[in-house]
Amino acid sequence: MKIPNFGGFGRTRQSAIYTDGVSGRSPKVPTDFPSLEKAARKAMSPRGWAYVAGGAGAGDTMDANREAFRRWRIVPRMLNDVSDRTLSTTLFGRELPAPFLFAPVGASELAHPSGDIGVAKAAADLGLPYIFSNQGCSPMEETAAVMGDSPRWFQLYWSTDDELVDSLLRRAEAIGADAVVVTVDTTMLGWRPEDLNIGSLPFSRAQGIAQYTSDGRFREMVRERIGAAGSVDGDNDANSSNVRPTISALKTLFSIAKRYPGPFLKNLTAPEPRAGVETFLNTYSRPSLNWEDLATIKSKTSLPVLVKGILHPDDAAKALEIGLDGIIVSNHGGRQVDNTISALDALTTIVPVVDGEVPVIFDSGIRSGSDAFIALALGADAVTVGRPHLYGLAIDGWEGARDAVANIVAELDLTVGLSGYSSVSDVGPDALNRS
């Protein structure tokens, strides 16, 4: 299904769906977000749904993301020749068929067993970049292998161990990543009631830590932890012997043994898997992360570096000051701090500050092609799609993830044309009216 140019894709996709309808076949993946979300909830486990769909606190930030889009209205212009359209754009020297990226979502196997591999296949089939999650369920090398020459980026969570950060960056370069995305709004996990109410943290079950367990520096850290525990009488961190042998604890042990590198039966009794989980939990986030730390990253990698999680124009200015190569405006899909500014409102204050110096990518709340149109009109160079592709993955594996994003791309193509534009690069603020 790989499309070299998405111009005209909307009509092509419509036609294919309607043709199937003649034979009584409806799409497996619903074409509107409410139906997509409803179908995904049926397909996912309670743990999976809580993690993917849940947000911080009462969910006010998630609501704010959606409400912000409703404050803008598209103003179509008539009688322009839009028969020949293009959605193509260029980011960091690579031409993309459409201004979309698959957002990084951790522990994706909670949506479908194929996890990151499935998402990578979906992105590659569309020729769109996939930002590999630092909390992936497969090592970045394995995920990259299914993408061929298709574009991929790497998301970095800056851990408490700088050597581990350096190792992850070297690996990102080795897999041919086009860019690194440093996510800075998750130096601690937000208050997420959907997960908290069922006591579910996927990482404690070794879900979403494959980038770590496949890393040489991380394995060295695990060995150091085991050695330190063995030298201190009564230290149970590494062997978790203080956990009561309940059914739930046994399920967690099996989950860890299954996902940690090595034979399953050996992992059930070996100290490394459980010590690995403990090492991850103690090192993956860094509350002390600051601008001085971030300023060093340009000396650590030759790749373009973007900062993700920016909502204030002064922070955008600081990112430019230290020489970063791009900004991703994001409130983490409403998953970190409740009742914050919407990402779209933040975009309107950040674009003037950046003033075209570096790419600005919009994240948090894209649910349709018209959403993407609005974000692009307000100055975003591209947008990311997060929950929709995970919902599609849950419904129909990698093809579902592909179709969920393809539907959004198709709607953008039609929205661009029906609004009087032949190129997405021509869409600007004059295409909108604030309501």
Side-chain angles (χ1 to χ4, degrees):
M1 186 182 169
K2 202 165 188 178
I3 308 295
N5 188 322
F6 281 104
F9 180 59
R11 295 182 68 188
T12 301
R13 188 152 183 81
Q14 275 182 333
S15 178
I17 293 173
Y18 288 143
T19 299
D20 285 344
V22 172
S23 302
R25 295 190 301 271
S26 58
K28 288 184 179 180
V29 177
T31 60
D32 66 290
F33 184 76
S35 299
L36 175 71
E37 188 171 48
K38 183 178 180 180
R41 184 164 193 170
K42 289 181 179 178
M44 295 170 71
S45 69
R47 288 183 62 249
W49 179 255
Y51 183 76
V52 175
D60 288 341
T61 300
M62 291 194 295
D63 292 342
N65 284 338
R66 296 305 309 145
E67 290 165 1
F69 281 100
R70 298 187 186 103
R71 289 195 291 272
W72 292 96
R73 292 289 182 261
I74 299 169
V75 185
R77 300 299 302 274
M78 298 297 113
L79 298 176
N80 292 319
D81 182 357
V82 294
S83 58
D84 185 16
R85 299 184 302 283
T86 178
L87 301 185
S88 65
T89 191
T90 300
L91 289 175
F92 303 114
R94 186 189 287 258
E95 185 176 359
L96 305 178
F100 289 91
L101 301 93
F102 281 66
V105 183
S108 57
E109 71 172 62
L110 287 169
H112 188 272
S114 64
D116 301 73
I117 299 298
V119 178
K121 290 178 66 176
D125 203 51
L126 295 175
L128 299 175
Y130 173 30
I131 307 174
F132 292 2
S133 173
N134 203 149
Q135 306 312 126
C137 294
S138 60
M140 66 180 85
E141 292 80 6
E142 294 180 12
T143 308
V146 304
M147 295 194 74
D149 294 330
S150 295
R152 77 291 309 256
W153 296 10
F154 176 67
Q155 176 210 31
L156 175 73
Y157 282 127
W158 202 301
S159 78
T160 59
D161 187 88
D162 283 341
E163 290 184 51
L164 176 58
V165 171
D166 293 343
S167 180
L168 291 168
L169 289 171
R170 287 193 298 269
R171 292 170 62 195
E173 292 176 347
I175 64 166
D178 286 347
V180 171
V181 173
V182 185
T183 299
V184 296
D185 60 5
T186 317
T187 55
M188 297 176 284
L189 278 182
W191 187 258
R192 303 176 184 174
E194 295 261 7
D195 289 326
L196 290 164
N197 288 343
I198 58 175
S200 175
L201 179 66
F203 314 129
S204 66
R205 300 166 62 94
Q207 293 176 300
I209 65 170
Q211 307 297 12
Y212 299 81
T213 59
S214 59
D215 191 273
R217 169 55 190 161
F218 182 80
R219 292 195 295 270
E220 181 182 355
M221 293 164 62
V222 173
R223 291 192 295 270
E224 292 170 355
R225 182 182 185 87
I226 293 172
S231 66
V232 179
D233 184 38
D235 187 338
N236 292 318
D237 281 348
N239 60 32
S240 298
S241 61
N242 58 332
V243 176
R244 296 179 62 188
T246 63
I247 296 297
S248 180
L250 289 174
K251 288 181 179 179
T252 297
L253 176 60
F254 292 158
S255 176
I256 294 171
K258 176 183 177 182
R259 290 169 176 83
Y260 206 85
F264 173 76
L265 292 178
K266 180 181 178 182
N267 282 346
L268 285 174
T269 56
E272 286 83 2
R274 285 164 288 177
V277 169
E278 292 290 342
T279 302
F280 165 78
L281 293 174
N282 287 344
T283 61
Y284 97 99
S285 63
R286 184 170 177 171
S288 65
L289 187 66
N290 56 58
W291 286 106
E292 287 71 26
D293 294 322
L294 196 57
T296 67
I297 195 168
K298 296 294 290 181
S299 66
K300 294 174 178 287
T301 180
S302 60
L303 297 175
V305 177
L306 300 90
V307 58
K308 178 175 180 285
I310 299 302
L311 295 171
H312 196 288
D314 289 352
D315 287 343
K318 186 67 175 178
L320 295 177
E321 180 184 323
I322 66 173
L324 298 188
D325 304 291
I327 292 169
I328 301 184
V329 179
S330 171
N331 58 28
H332 216 92
R335 292 166 60 78
Q336 278 301 94
V337 179
D338 202 14
N339 203 26
T340 69
I341 184 176
S342 75
L344 195 68
D345 287 337
L347 179 70
T348 63
T349 68
I350 289 172
V351 165
V353 171
V354 175
D355 195 25
E357 287 189 42
V358 299
V360 175
I361 296 174
F362 177 83
D363 172 271
S364 300
I366 295 292
R367 300 290 180 262
S368 67
S370 60
D371 289 344
F373 183 98
I374 291 170
L376 294 167
L378 291 174
D381 294 286
V383 302
T384 71
V385 178
R387 287 184 177 95
H389 78 66
L390 259 293
Y391 289 165
L393 186 74
I395 295 167
D396 194 30
W398 78 268
E399 292 175 307
R402 176 199 65 195
D403 289 351
V405 177
N407 288 338
I408 296 174
V409 177
E411 186 183 355
L412 174 64
D413 172 54
L414 290 171
T415 303
V416 168
L418 289 169
S419 298
Y421 298 91
S422 58
S423 172
V424 72
S425 63
D426 294 333
V427 176
D430 58 348
L432 303 178
N433 182 27
R434 178 106 180 184
S435 66

